[in-house]
Amino acid sequence: MLIDLAPAPARTRETRAIPYLVAAVAFAGYSAWSLQRLRTFDASGFDLGIFEQAVRSYAHGHWPVSDLLGPGAPTLGDHFHPILALLAPFYLLWPSPACLLVAQAFLFALSAVPVTRCASRVLGARRGVVVSAGYVLSWGLLSAVNFDFHEVCFAVPMVAFAAEHLLRERWRAAVWCALPLVLVKEDLPLTLAAVGVVLVFKGQRRLGWAVAGFGVATSVLLVTVVLPALNPAGAYAHSGGLNPFGGSIVKVSMLLALVVPTAFAALRSPVLLLAVPTLLWRLVSANDRYWGMGYHYSAVLMPIVFLAAADGVRRFDRQWLFPACALVAGLASLGLQVAHLTDGVWTPSQRAGIDTVLARIPDDATVMASNRLAPRLTSRCMVLFFDGASKERPEWVAVAKPEQSWPTTLATKGLALEELKSTGYLRVAETDSVVLLHRG
């Protein structure tokens, strides 16, 4: 049995406004957090700069490319995310990486509306707000906010509204909300397929099997045909191998972190099946970044587990455990993430000095830039990635001080910088935070 979400007689206009108030507060908080990271140079070329270059391409009517991935590299050959084109009109009005960050904050915050509505229907308005606070502060969302921009932000509200419709037994509405997942990323059609499985489980066999088959077929087609065709290497860029038995402690910890904030109530709902595809490809992958709680990989799981819990908690005798656990876990998540929200590597005067130096680069110039400097340039220049290994020789080179050791070593980057100086590049400006070279 799913949640009875028929309108409650006692609902008032103020009560109906609560989910939108929660979303508004979340939007303000997420936006401020993201813009602070951009202001202090904590945002990076990988991945904010990459996505800005793709959106900038769309905004100017071009095929989406990211020169940070490689000169003229097609982003649709890396991941399949044509939904980014929806940001192009907004980017034309506000050509800045901040546009992407604010859009992501809005989409994440929007997902709080169905979570708050469902929790309030089951637990009452006050406990529903507590649950929504735990959701807004959940580690999967905060970790994503704390790491640039990613296309998965579109999937979070899609999944949230689809799950809400499943709980209200609005089967076709759930499918329509989940259907655009095929335009977000190549693995997400499998989540659409999981919606079909839930429909089958609830007796909607014909619709369910059709949706499940379409989702699986679409994901297979994208990974085996479309992405290899669009990738210059002629292969899917993220196959990466399998390692299902590695990192067991990390994987178990991540799984526990998903269900503990719900007091394990999520385990009692079939809606949790929507999380299975994302968890499967992450847990069997050889890429250890997928196993844990970092980055943006768990953002799409948060609305699933919270809405599944809103369904499963009805079978609990002590329903107060869910809001209590959600709030405690959310506050713990906030505390951990705030530790990363610092004033950055450089002082305010150093940051001002960096902006002054970068302002010497003319618009539309080609520049090779360090990871932390790239987002300052991607809205007006063609930006390549300074990794210490590239043989590109653009007109300008901007290198941060101190440089990051990723993806090569500091020694490799130091040698590359000296080589540039010895092969015709002149030092135009240098501070204790940045060095700017120009090809002579």
Side-chain angles (χ1 to χ4, degrees):
M1 184 181 295
L2 297 177
I3 294 176
D4 180 8
L5 291 179
R11 293 186 79 202
T12 64
R13 181 177 300 176
E14 291 75 14
T15 302
R16 290 193 297 269
I18 287 176
Y20 303 98
L21 292 175
V22 170
V25 172
F27 172 60
Y30 293 158
S31 297
W33 190 307
S34 300
L35 295 177
Q36 165 71 0
R37 294 188 71 256
L38 181 62
R39 184 182 68 83
T40 58
F41 289 86
D42 279 337
S44 58
F46 279 72
D47 292 319
L48 177 58
I50 291 172
F51 283 106
E52 185 187 4
Q53 288 180 329
V55 173
R56 188 185 183 203
S57 299
Y58 280 124
H60 291 89
H62 302 148
W63 185 256
V65 299
S66 173
D67 298 302
L68 285 165
L69 290 172
T75 57
L76 289 178
D78 183 49
H79 286 299
F80 189 76
H81 41 49
I83 199 165
L84 291 176
L86 293 179
L87 296 178
F90 303 99
Y91 188 81
L92 285 173
L93 296 173
W94 187 13
S96 165
C99 176
L100 276 66
L101 295 175
V102 171
Q104 176 173 262
F106 173 79
L107 291 166
F108 281 164
L110 182 61
S111 69
V113 172
V115 172
T116 308
R117 279 198 299 234
C118 289
S120 297
R121 291 282 186 173
V122 175
L123 300 169
R126 292 183 180 179
R127 288 181 177 178
V129 170
V130 173
V131 169
S132 67
Y135 172 74
V136 167
L137 299 176
S138 61
W139 59 268
L141 293 181
L142 291 191
S143 180
V145 169
N146 211 27
F147 181 51
D148 291 356
F149 171 94
H150 299 89
E151 73 277 83
V152 74
C153 64
F154 284 95
V156 173
M158 291 178 191
V159 169
F161 283 102
E164 181 187 26
H165 286 306
L166 287 175
L167 294 180
R168 299 187 69 171
E169 299 186 354
R170 294 177 174 176
W171 312 125
R172 294 188 181 277
V175 173
W176 283 115
C177 285
L179 193 59
L181 290 171
V182 302
L183 303 176
V184 179
K185 198 162 173 259
E186 61 275 8
D187 64 282
L188 286 169
L190 296 177
T191 301
L192 172 62
V195 171
V197 172
V198 174
L199 291 173
V200 172
F201 184 82
K202 302 309 297 182
Q204 304 299 308
R205 292 180 175 81
R206 179 177 297 180
L207 178 62
W209 285 123
V211 171
F214 176 76
V216 171
T218 301
S219 194
V220 171
L221 181 66
L222 290 176
V223 171
T224 61
V225 178
V226 176
L227 285 166
L230 297 176
N231 191 301
Y236 179 48
H238 300 279
S239 52
L242 302 177
N243 184 13
F245 303 109
S248 298
I249 295 178
V250 176
K251 293 175 181 177
V252 171
S253 299
M254 185 268 290
L255 293 174
L256 286 174
L258 283 175
V259 294
V260 166
T262 72
F264 298 97
L267 296 174
R268 299 193 173 201
S269 172
V271 170
L272 192 61
L273 291 172
L274 302 186
V276 171
T278 297
L279 288 174
L280 277 180
W281 72 255
R282 289 177 58 186
L283 295 178
V284 303
S285 172
N287 189 337
D288 58 3
R289 290 180 301 171
Y290 298 155
W291 303 343
M293 298 169 60
Y295 307 107
H296 57 288
Y297 301 115
S298 296
V300 74
L301 300 176
M302 295 297 108
I304 297 173
V305 296
F306 272 78
L307 285 162
D311 180 31
V313 76
R314 294 181 305 104
R315 304 170 182 87
F316 273 23
D317 293 329
R318 299 178 179 179
Q319 293 186 343
W320 60 267
L321 281 174
F322 174 27
C325 289
L327 182 60
V328 170
L331 292 175
S333 170
L334 179 63
L336 290 174
Q337 294 296 333
V338 163
H340 299 289
L341 187 65
T342 66
D343 287 332
V345 176
W346 298 297
T347 65
S349 61
Q350 287 175 318
R351 294 196 295 266
I354 294 173
D355 285 329
T356 299
V357 169
L358 296 183
R360 302 186 64 169
I361 302 173
D363 292 351
D364 299 321
T366 301
V367 53
M368 184 183 294
S370 296
N371 192 35
R372 287 177 295 195
L373 303 181
R376 282 295 204 275
L377 298 164
T378 42
S379 61
R380 63 184 186 88
C381 296
M382 174 182 172
V383 183
L384 306 172
F385 183 41
F386 177 75
D387 59 1
S390 174
K391 299 303 179 184
E392 298 292 327
R393 291 296 180 265
E395 185 179 0
W396 298 85
V397 178
V399 180
K401 297 166 56 180
E403 181 55 272
Q404 293 174 309
S405 58
W406 177 87
T408 56
T409 65
L410 293 177
T412 298
K413 292 186 176 183
L415 290 173
L417 185 60
E418 293 304 315
E419 181 183 353
L420 290 170
K421 292 178 181 178
S422 65
T423 56
Y425 279 84
L426 304 178
R427 184 169 53 192
V428 175
E430 183 171 6
T431 70
D432 59 350
S433 308
V434 63
V435 56
L436 179 64
L437 305 180
H438 183 253
R439 191 179 61 216

